[in-house]
Amino acid sequence: VLKTIQVMEESPLFNAGKGAVFTNAGTNELDASFMDGKTLNAGAVAGVKDVKSPIELAIKIMTDSEHVMLSGEGASAFAKEKGLDIVNPSYFYTENRIQSLQKIINQEKTELDHNDKKANFYDPIIKDSKFGTVGCVALDKFGNIAAGTSTGGMTNKRWGRIGDAPIIGSGTYANNQTCAVSCTGSGEFFIRGNVAYDVSCLISYAGKSLTEACTEVVHKHLIALGGDGGLIAVNAQAEIAMVFNTEGMYRGYRHSQGDHFIGIYEN
Ligand code: ASP
């Protein structure tokens, strides 16, 4: 999960690490979280501005501190103490993301970086702005599952706004008995719906399959709240679900035996 997310954090194409969206103040403020399905240990970081790999910091908080979530300058100080890579905030800058901010900076709204319609897919600016928050769920050969999520949040966010990505149970959750889940979408709805944990609850309390649980949460519970987005999930039996209620969601999987898939839109 760490290595997969780091590849995407280092790519300018995704809204995580380098290429993160901009806040109203023209800064990049990064959120990430990780959960280990075997131990139910978790780590999360919110609103850091100079840590190269927020997912690495989230895992470090899990393994090297007594806490689950650290934020802002304190989280950066912890990262420095632990020898993680610290970068100049300009490292996260990309031209596309600044343009996305400039389009809505004078409006009282935040914007998902991937909610544009299919018809705009070939517009070069819009196209690049489609790449979103990143997440990974994984199953190892011992039957252990884990989930991680990393994001810059929403374009034009203000006032230290934190989304669902660093909130365990909302944007990320993992439990070997049920599932590992990573979410993307309008974070406020995912927080209010406890989306990642809701999937796990439907499996443990209502006996739903992974696919049934994900479908119910994304297409019923989330829609009832007015929320848009999706999630990826895996369980210890190697079942995979990638469900969304938006036009598309960049996604893919690979089995150790080589079976693999990538997708953008529903089909
Ligand atoms: N869920 C993220 C947030 O609200 C945004 C995203 O998934 O693109 O911060």
Side-chain angles (χ1 to χ4, degrees):
V1 170
L2 170 67
K3 293 299 173 192
T4 300
I5 290 183
Q6 279 184 326
V7 168
M8 296 186 281
E9 284 181 337
E10 285 169 22
S11 163
L13 298 175
F14 301 97
N15 175 18
K18 189 175 185 62
V21 298
F22 282 90
T23 67
N24 179 270
T27 56
N28 304 105
E29 297 178 8
L30 312 168
D31 302 334
S33 68
F34 175 86
M35 187 157 182
D36 175 344
K38 181 182 178 186
T39 59
L40 304 186
N41 277 340
V45 59
V48 277
K49 295 179 181 167
D50 58 0
V51 176
K52 186 179 180 195
S53 173
I55 189 66
E56 185 180 15
L57 176 53
I59 293 173
K60 225 20 176 197
I61 292 165
M62 178 184 87
T63 57
D64 288 37
S65 86
E66 291 177 353
H67 308 297
V68 170
M69 184 188 266
L70 299 180
S71 69
E73 284 170 19
S76 288
F78 177 81
K80 276 174 210 153
E81 225 173 83
K82 296 294 166 189
L84 268 56
D85 284 347
I86 304 296
V87 291
N88 186 301
S90 63
Y91 166 81
F92 301 109
Y93 178 94
T94 53
E95 190 58 34
N96 277 344
R97 298 301 191 194
I98 272 289
Q99 287 181 17
S100 302
L101 173 65
Q102 278 157 0
K103 276 193 235 158
I104 61 164
I105 193 163
N106 293 321
Q107 299 166 32
E108 197 55 51
K109 67 169 186 177
T110 54
E111 192 171 78
L112 268 186
D113 66 327
H114 50 89
N115 63 353
D116 48 295
K117 298 286 182 231
K118 212 175 197 167
N120 289 331
F121 182 59
Y122 294 102
D123 177 315
I125 294 166
I126 305 270
K127 181 185 162 193
D128 282 353
S129 72
K130 283 184 68 66
F131 296 93
T133 286
V134 307
C136 175
V137 293
L139 163 67
D140 74 10
K141 64 181 175 181
F142 305 108
N144 297 313
I145 53 178
T149 310
S150 182
T151 189
M154 291 175 81
T155 302
N156 204 28
K157 63 183 183 180
R158 298 167 82 175
W159 304 303
R161 179 265 186 193
I162 305 293
D164 60 316
I167 299 182
I168 298 300
S170 295
T172 303
Y173 188 74
N175 182 336
N176 278 2
Q177 308 310 316
T178 55
C179 56
V181 180
S182 172
C183 301
T184 183
S186 303
E188 281 67 14
F189 299 98
F190 285 73
I191 294 172
R192 289 163 55 206
N194 285 298
V195 165
Y197 187 58
D198 196 17
V199 172
S200 175
C201 287
L202 284 176
I203 295 168
S204 58
Y205 303 150
K208 304 265 179 187
S209 72
L210 183 77
T211 300
E212 284 168 353
C214 292
T215 305
E216 183 164 336
V217 170
V218 172
H219 289 291
K220 288 193 186 153
H221 301 185
L222 199 51
I223 285 182
L225 283 173
D228 53 344
L231 54 82
I232 54 171
V234 70
N235 65 17
Q237 292 71 48
E239 287 163 353
I240 294 167
M242 299 190 287
V243 182
F244 49 97
N245 64 28
T246 45
E247 193 86 35
M249 181 176 80
Y250 291 89
R251 63 200 187 278
Y253 67 71
R254 176 175 284 276
H255 281 286
S256 53
Q257 282 101 5
D259 176 28
H260 64 276
F261 165 88
I262 55 169
I264 301 175
Y265 299 110
E266 203 169 328
N267 301 310

